Amino acid sequence: MSATEPKIRNAATEVLQRAADNISRIILGKDEQIRLALTCLVARGHLLIEDLPGVGKTTLAHAIAQVMGLDFQRIQFTSDLLPADVLGVAVYDRERSVFEFHQGPIFSNFILADEINRATPKTQSALLEAMEESQVTVDGETRDLPQPFFVIATQNPMHQIGTYALPESQLDRFLMRLHLGFPDREAERELLQGEERRDMIEHIKPVLDGVQLISIQKQAAGIHVADALLDYVQSLLEFTRNSPMFEFGLSPRGGLALLNSARALALIDGREFVLPEHIKQVLPAVVNHRLVNTSDELEIKKQTAADFISASVPVP
Amino acid sequence: MVTNNHRLTTKLTPVLLGIHVVAIPLYPHLPLQVLLVTAVLTLWTLLIISGRISQPGRFVMLLLTMMVLAVLMLSYGTILGQQPGSAMLLLLSFLKLFEMKSARDIAIVIFMGLFLIASKFFYSQSLLIAIYVFVVVVYLTSLLIVFSDRLGTTRFKARMYKSLRMIIQAVPLMLILFVLFPRIPSPLWGVPKDAVAATTGISDEMSPGSINRLIGSGEVAFRVKFNGDPPTRSDLYWRGLVLSNYDGRTWRLENAPAEALPLLVPSGDEKSRYRYIVMLEPHNQRWLYALETMVEYEGQLAVTREMQVLTRSNVIDVISYNMRSDIKAENRGLFEPERRKNLALPAGLNSESVSFARGLFKNSNREDRTYIGNVLKHFSEMGFKYTLSPPLLGENAMDEFLFDTRRGFCEHFASAFVYLMRAAGIPSRVVIGYQGGAMHPFDDYMIVRQSDAHAWAEVWLEDEGWVRVDPTAAVSPTRIEEGIEHAGLERGLLPSILISDNVIIQRARFMWDSFHNNWNQWVVGYNRKRQQELLEMFGFNNATSSDLAMWLVVSMTLAGSLVAWLVIRRESIKQVDIIRLYYDRFCRKLERAGVPHRSNEGATEFMARVVKIFPANKQELAMITGDYEHLRYGGVEDENRVRRYMRAVRRFKVKG
């Protein structure tokens, strides 16, 4: 985004910029994805990263956690992982004759749910429900998860035997889905020459902590959205609902996701209000995984949902 | 090219459907060969759509076109005229589907469909057809929406709704055009001659069975609106044709020369005069129906010596005419040739009847009136029966009817009565038309149906002139006094509208008829006269065609401005008016410089693009874009900034 206006340098923007800079020193050549991942975090959403193994999904998650100063838990999803392994379990304490709850790994600020599609649907939905409600119910007792709470799930897009790809209805719970992709030649060279990324993460200094993050999230939620842009979001939603390209249009939740992400991006961008460009920039990450392209026309099939939508709906 | 074509052909199904929907009312009128060609072309198109075969080449298309023309020539003998013309358009529309190359070709087919659908009004102008045409037009417009939308994004329901909205938005303009467009009398425009092919109604001759054939039809023959109370039912004789020539089986017209005028003597009794308007359904004949005896009429009609009213050409539209009748007026004219004509009988037939007539006349002291009374008495007392299913008659039809079968419908009685009169030397003739009519239960007009068709007789009495005698009344008085449905006829042979006991259905039918009547009067029958009447209601008297044209232009302009105003207002409510308008101005300047703003582009994106082309303008571009974004999306009002922004846009010039 080119500068059209001296940007308002507020503390939140500056901190987030510094976080982005720090992360991009580790994940090379992926500035856009890093920006969107931070947007997702600031918009209090959860992130799904879908890509092949070895492109740095886990590294990215780790780096974000480190920079944000959040306590980090990694859950490797496997086919024998049970809901209790994620949420926690109540164990009988013989001496005190009571059940004591042992918190599962989900009770932390930042979860990396690695290869989520390898777990059974039962375990998947235990995680997704926790994500949705920010709380966990075990044995009839409801426990709040710590705040801020952020989940990055990774999924291998290849169809493998013994995996359970998340259905569309579950994908909807992720605010954004990102693809990392291979680094370009230059970045890859640097990667090959440089030191081990995992070690580098250890040395990143956190730029903020959980309390600050919560205040930034609140600030983002207060970013102004003009009526004209609400019209724009509604036109986008309406378009997806009327277009024969998609089986179903975007849900109201999809609309809110779009709006909140755009607000967060505007904050990162140092704006006091949302611009149409912010909506258009978050559009691919927010809507592509929520829409099923059913068009049988090759020309349309080739486009992503977001390209198709933003090409078709005029900016107010 | 190939993929593009393939893409188009897969979208053809709704267009194919559209052509068929347009053609539905055409199908009953098409010859079998044409229907077969239609079916073959449809199947072929479906195969192309499914991708199983490709579009035929130029040579095949040429062959097909020639074949289609050949089939049309074979079926109709011509390709000109209304029916062959519509059939040709239909088949060519199908052929056009074979050579779809671009969306333009589809638009052509849809326009052909719109033309074809308009030709429906040649066959019928009824309200039902109008509703059908409306629905089809909405559908065809929705197809146009699909194919003019580059991305083809709209769902069926959404585009039908959009189309409906567009058509409804066009209705006020349509109404203005309809009301004000100068009406020019036919034949410049109007329904072509061959439009009304088959209609029910009275024909110009009468033989046994020709009237009772009509009785089963509940169709409306005409509607009448009386100025005041209508006459009693037994006076409702709607005269149509007078038949004087009898060949032993069939009664035919034999009119006096056109220049001979009737000799009418009005009664002078105001109570026996009725003023009324008849709204006649098209019957594809020249004669009109008038209450006996018509003494005044409006418009360009001809009245024959036999008191038949004729128009200049066959009635193929609903027409209405004003008349005045005097039910007691006398028709006193009888020339010698007419006397001979109305005494003539076919020689050598029905000897028994002739001698019966002569005997009865002698017994009546050769008194005309007494004789008439005796003949009617014979009908009423000698076991004659009024029936819808009379037995068939042989060569001596009169003898068989009078002395053997004694069962007949009105045409039998009228025919036999006139025969007996002529045999006794009293000039007499058959009149056919309608008798009766039912007042609409909640609208103030009368409906006369085909089932009211009737035949009666007229005899010449030296001191009274032509006098109506209805022999049916002697056999079945209830037929005349209460109507056909009360005449004790076979109920199964009467139209259901007359005998239905279901009050709700009856009511619905009458409501529909009311509706239909208004439609006929105000839409189909909206002619120059009605137009003048309507305008007079608004205080515009004696409007000429050029006045109308002027009003038309003025009101269209007003309507157009109103629409424009509404659109602009809606736009400005939706947008921060002045800010957006100035930004549009800014975009126009850049468009003139060769960089048009895309509608799906945000201001910053646009600026990034423009700066690359006109780097010298970078500063102004950044300022205008920044101000625009702030003012439009920032939600803060800032007078100074607005002024600065407007000034910047005004002064903005592309450098380099």
Side-chain angles (χ1 to χ4, degrees):
Chain A
M1 174 158 284
S2 57
T4 58
E5 177 83 2
K7 283 176 187 168
I8 294 96
R9 281 280 157 207
N10 71 25
T13 303
E14 232 163 286
V15 161
L16 290 168
Q17 285 293 346
R18 218 162 51 230
D21 290 345
N22 282 345
I23 299 167
S24 61
R25 241 176 266 140
I26 295 163
I27 312 290
L28 300 169
K30 296 288 163 213
D31 293 359
E32 188 58 28
Q33 282 88 340
I34 293 166
R35 224 158 81 95
L36 286 169
L38 288 182
T39 304
C40 186
L41 175 61
V42 172
R44 305 181 62 177
H46 304 287
L47 179 64
L48 177 68
I49 302 179
E50 200 175 81
D51 222 320
L52 297 168
V55 291
K57 293 184 296 247
T58 314
T59 316
L60 174 67
H62 217 142
I64 294 174
Q66 183 73 17
V67 168
M68 293 290 157
L70 300 173
D71 72 87
F72 176 72
Q73 278 286 354
R74 174 164 178 228
I75 311 172
Q76 175 65 49
F77 276 56
T78 55
S79 54
D80 55 358
L81 192 76
L82 294 174
D85 297 332
V86 176
L87 305 180
V89 66
V91 178
Y92 187 69
D93 187 334
R94 236 172 229 291
E95 288 175 20
R96 292 193 288 146
S97 302
V98 286
F99 277 99
E100 198 182 339
F101 183 69
H102 287 244
Q103 293 186 339
I106 199 156
F107 285 88
S108 40
N109 294 118
F110 194 117
I111 315 284
L112 172 63
D114 225 353
E115 295 187 272
I116 187 169
N117 54 334
R118 293 184 64 183
T120 56
K122 198 173 175 184
T123 311
Q124 285 174 359
S125 47
L127 172 74
L128 293 166
E129 273 173 47
M131 272 164 50
E132 183 69 20
E133 331 242 305
S134 280
Q135 58 188 23
V136 168
T137 303
V138 177
D139 289 341
E141 199 175 330
T142 302
R143 291 163 219 275
D144 286 332
L145 293 173
Q147 287 299 329
F149 178 63
F150 182 50
V151 176
I152 293 186
T154 72
Q155 177 165 262
N156 190 330
M158 300 291 283
H159 289 285
Q160 293 167 321
I161 295 169
T163 60
Y164 306 90
L166 291 177
E168 277 90 37
S169 57
Q170 303 278 40
L171 285 175
D172 196 30
R173 313 228 175 167
F174 290 97
L175 183 71
M176 290 188 186
R177 182 184 66 177
L178 292 177
H179 298 282
L180 282 179
F182 297 121
D184 56 27
R185 209 178 157 78
E186 204 181 320
E188 186 142 33
R189 183 62 166 255
E190 202 177 325
L191 193 73
L192 294 172
Q193 283 176 334
E195 52 180 306
E196 176 61 38
R197 299 287 125 182
R198 305 260 158 135
D199 297 339
M200 284 174 73
I201 291 173
E202 300 299 317
H203 298 122
I204 304 180
K205 279 197 195 109
V207 292
L208 72 166
D209 56 27
V211 180
Q212 272 174 304
L213 180 59
I214 287 174
S215 101
I216 287 177
Q217 285 174 337
K218 277 187 184 144
Q219 205 177 327
I223 294 271
H224 175 76
V225 181
D227 283 348
L229 288 180
L230 292 177
D231 279 346
Y232 184 48
V233 170
Q234 281 189 304
S235 304
L236 291 169
L237 296 180
E238 208 174 308
F239 178 82
T240 63
R241 288 167 195 170
N242 285 331
S243 168
M245 178 183 176
F246 310 115
E247 199 168 1
F248 307 105
L250 285 173
S251 60
R253 175 159 40 180
L256 277 172
L258 208 49
L259 213 54
N260 291 337
S261 311
R263 280 191 170 113
L265 185 61
L267 182 72
I268 293 177
D269 199 36
R271 292 281 188 165
E272 288 172 316
F273 49 86
V274 175
L275 289 178
E277 279 85 350
H278 294 135
I279 297 176
K280 288 176 75 174
Q281 278 174 36
V282 298
L283 196 67
V286 175
V287 303
N288 279 348
H289 63 292
R290 295 170 201 260
L291 291 169
V292 185
N293 187 342
T294 54
S295 173
D296 45 9
E297 285 183 31
L298 267 179
E299 233 168 85
I300 293 179
K301 193 93 183 159
K302 272 189 300 197
Q303 301 181 46
T304 66
D307 290 345
F308 183 65
I309 298 165
S310 72
S312 308
V313 180
V315 169
Chain B
M1 192 64 188
V2 174
T3 51
N4 188 28
N5 256 0
H6 177 69
R7 210 160 64 79
L8 261 181
T9 50
T10 53
K11 280 189 185 171
L12 285 184
T13 323
V15 183
L16 184 67
L17 183 74
I19 299 181
H20 278 291
V21 170
V22 165
I24 288 170
L26 218 57
Y27 288 146
H29 302 272
L30 291 178
L32 193 64
Q33 303 93 294
V34 178
L35 281 177
L36 273 176
V37 175
T38 313
V40 169
L41 292 180
T42 304
L43 274 178
W44 196 332
T45 314
L46 284 174
L47 284 176
I48 292 178
I49 290 172
S50 70
R52 247 165 266 186
I53 54 176
S54 56
Q55 295 182 326
R58 203 168 275 218
F59 181 67
V60 181
M61 283 305 291
L62 193 68
L63 265 180
L64 273 173
T65 313
M66 310 235 295
M67 228 186 64
V68 161
L69 292 181
V71 168
L72 287 170
M73 282 304 281
L74 274 176
S75 323
Y76 293 103
T78 171
I79 49 167
L80 299 175
Q82 198 258 120
Q83 290 221 17
S86 332
M88 181 165 78
L89 259 182
L90 177 66
L91 294 184
L92 292 185
S93 309
F94 278 113
L95 283 186
K96 186 75 194 159
L97 289 183
F98 288 0
E99 47 167 17
M100 287 294 149
K101 292 198 174 58
S102 61
R104 209 185 107 247
D105 292 319
I106 290 177
I108 288 176
V109 173
I110 296 171
F111 290 140
M112 275 163 99
L114 286 169
F115 185 82
L116 263 178
I117 195 81
S119 74
K120 295 295 180 296
F121 289 121
F122 289 153
Y123 293 102
S124 161
Q125 295 129 21
S126 75
L127 187 54
L128 277 179
I129 284 286
I131 292 169
Y132 163 77
V133 167
F134 180 82
V135 172
V136 173
V137 167
V138 170
Y139 179 67
L140 290 181
T141 310
S142 81
L143 290 184
L144 274 181
I145 292 174
V146 179
F147 288 105
S148 56
D149 182 356
R150 189 174 55 83
L151 299 158
T153 45
T154 328
R155 277 169 203 276
F156 177 76
K157 234 169 85 183
R159 66 181 143 87
M160 280 302 271
Y161 174 72
K162 196 167 178 183
S163 163
L164 185 70
R165 224 176 53 184
M166 284 165 73
I167 303 276
I168 286 175
Q169 279 166 348
V171 164
L173 291 185
M174 185 194 82
L175 281 180
I176 292 177
L177 280 171
F178 180 81
V179 169
L180 287 181
F181 201 86
R183 289 301 194 276
I184 298 165
S186 355
L188 189 59
W189 60 58
V191 181
K193 291 260 183 304
D194 60 345
V196 192
T199 44
T200 356
I202 289 174
S203 72
D204 60 355
E205 52 179 49
M206 182 187 91
S207 48
S210 65
I211 304 269
N212 82 30
R213 202 167 32 90
L214 293 174
I215 302 305
S217 166
E219 263 178 62
V220 173
F222 51 89
R223 299 179 177 83
V224 192
K225 189 164 183 175
F226 282 95
N227 205 346
D229 288 333
T232 55
R233 189 167 185 121
S234 50
D235 284 327
L236 289 169
Y237 279 87
W238 302 98
R239 191 183 184 91
L241 289 178
V242 176
L243 310 175
S244 302
N245 183 315
Y246 185 55
D247 64 358
R249 173 154 197 89
T250 306
W251 290 89
R252 292 200 170 82
L253 281 175
E254 193 185 345
N255 287 349
E259 60 275 12
L261 296 172
L263 187 68
L264 282 190
V265 182
S267 66
D269 180 1
E270 269 309 310
K271 278 187 200 149
S272 65
R273 282 168 179 247
Y274 295 91
R275 193 178 276 286
Y276 55 92
I277 305 175
V278 176
M279 287 146 286
L280 180 64
E281 291 286 319
H283 62 337
N284 203 22
Q285 305 283 7
R286 274 188 64 198
W287 60 83
L288 305 182
Y289 296 97
L291 186 67
E292 286 189 334
T293 301
M294 194 271 290
V295 291
E296 261 179 61
Y297 60 90
E298 261 180 25
Q300 303 199 320
L301 304 174
V303 180
T304 68
R305 181 148 172 95
E306 292 83 8
M307 290 302 297
Q308 302 164 111
V309 187
L310 302 177
T311 57
R312 287 178 160 185
S313 54
N314 288 11
V315 177
I316 48 181
D317 286 319
V318 176
I319 60 163
S320 63
Y321 45 91
N322 274 306
M323 283 187 167
R324 190 167 200 190
S325 291
D326 180 347
I327 57 171
K328 287 185 188 152
E330 293 173 3
N331 181 359
R332 301 295 278 268
L334 186 74
F335 294 129
E336 205 39 46
E338 285 179 278
R339 179 186 294 276
R340 279 201 300 277
K341 185 170 77 186
N342 288 312
L343 283 172
L345 286 178
L349 290 174
N350 304 315
S351 50
E352 215 178 320
S353 308
V354 176
S355 51
F356 168 76
R358 289 188 182 147
L360 191 62
F361 191 55
K362 217 160 134 192
N363 289 346
S364 311
N365 303 324
R366 304 191 177 276
E367 258 297 315
D368 290 357
R369 263 176 245 276
T370 321
Y371 174 62
I372 292 168
N374 284 338
V375 168
L376 293 178
K377 206 162 129 196
H378 181 77
F379 282 150
S380 61
E381 289 175 0
M382 296 306 285
F384 281 86
K385 201 167 173 259
Y386 185 58
T387 172
L388 272 172
S389 43
L392 294 175
L393 299 173
E395 198 187 350
N396 287 308
M398 224 44 88
D399 282 359
E400 284 175 39
F401 172 66
L402 281 174
F403 307 111
D404 186 12
T405 66
R406 300 188 186 211
R407 288 149 60 79
F409 197 58
C410 60
E411 65 259 41
H412 297 85
F413 290 103
S415 174
F417 180 81
V418 172
Y419 197 94
L420 292 175
M421 289 300 125
R422 288 186 178 186
I426 304 172
S428 137
R429 57 196 186 186
V430 171
V431 182
I432 53 178
Y434 295 88
Q435 201 285 323
M439 277 317 279
H440 191 287
F442 37 88
D443 213 341
D444 68 339
Y445 63 89
M446 178 179 278
I447 304 170
V448 178
R449 296 178 192 282
Q450 296 300 348
S451 52
D452 294 317
H454 194 52
W456 58 94
E458 264 184 348
V459 292
W460 173 262
L461 299 176
E462 295 301 334
D463 52 346
E464 273 184 68
W466 286 107
V467 174
R468 179 181 67 223
V469 181
D470 188 352
T472 307
V475 187
S476 171
T478 44
R479 161 67 184 89
I480 308 304
E481 282 151 21
E482 289 168 50
I484 184 113
E485 64 271 35
H486 302 293
L489 292 167
E490 300 86 333
R491 285 179 78 80
L493 296 175
L494 290 173
S496 58
I497 181 151
L498 293 181
I499 52 170
S500 167
D501 294 327
N502 190 323
V503 181
I504 294 166
I505 291 178
Q506 284 288 56
R507 206 181 152 78
R509 276 173 161 159
F510 278 114
M511 262 164 84
W512 173 249
D513 194 87
S514 240
F515 224 55
H516 200 85
N517 183 40
N518 279 316
W519 172 260
N520 277 345
Q521 282 190 60
W522 288 104
V523 181
V524 180
Y526 186 78
N527 51 17
R528 177 128 186 86
K529 209 173 122 236
R530 283 236 171 251
Q531 192 173 37
Q532 296 282 6
E533 283 171 12
L534 187 76
L535 292 175
E536 272 166 28
M537 267 161 56
F538 293 100
F540 303 110
N541 293 326
N542 300 321
T544 62
S545 291
S546 59
D547 287 343
L548 286 175
M550 198 190 70
W551 293 344
L552 194 62
V553 170
V554 169
S555 36
M556 292 300 275
T557 315
L558 280 177
S561 322
L562 181 72
V563 171
W565 180 71
L566 283 175
V567 168
I568 290 170
R569 206 180 60 136
R570 200 178 59 180
E571 290 296 299
S572 59
I573 285 171
K574 248 165 95 174
Q575 293 161 355
V576 185
D577 39 317
I578 199 78
I579 304 297
R580 176 76 199 196
L581 285 177
Y582 265 76
Y583 191 69
D584 287 345
R585 190 168 160 182
F586 167 71
C587 291
R588 275 198 300 277
K589 284 185 178 180
L590 284 165
E591 190 173 350
R592 277 198 292 273
V595 194
H597 175 247
R598 299 183 194 129
S599 68
N600 64 339
E601 202 172 33
T604 306
E605 283 172 283
F606 181 48
M607 196 200 76
R609 209 154 56 83
V610 178
V611 166
K612 275 189 205 138
I613 302 166
F614 303 113
N617 286 102
K618 188 171 178 184
Q619 219 181 344
E620 296 120 284
L621 288 169
M623 192 164 99
I624 290 173
T625 305
D627 281 346
Y628 171 68
E629 286 178 341
H630 251 91
L631 296 169
R632 188 151 161 69
Y633 304 118
V636 189
E637 279 179 29
D638 182 346
E639 278 294 317
N640 289 331
R641 205 161 187 166
V642 172
R643 248 175 273 136
R644 186 179 85 176
Y645 164 71
M646 282 162 65
R647 198 167 51 234
V649 170
R650 272 199 304 271
R651 289 182 185 165
F652 177 76
K653 261 196 204 93
V654 176
K655 294 177 204 161

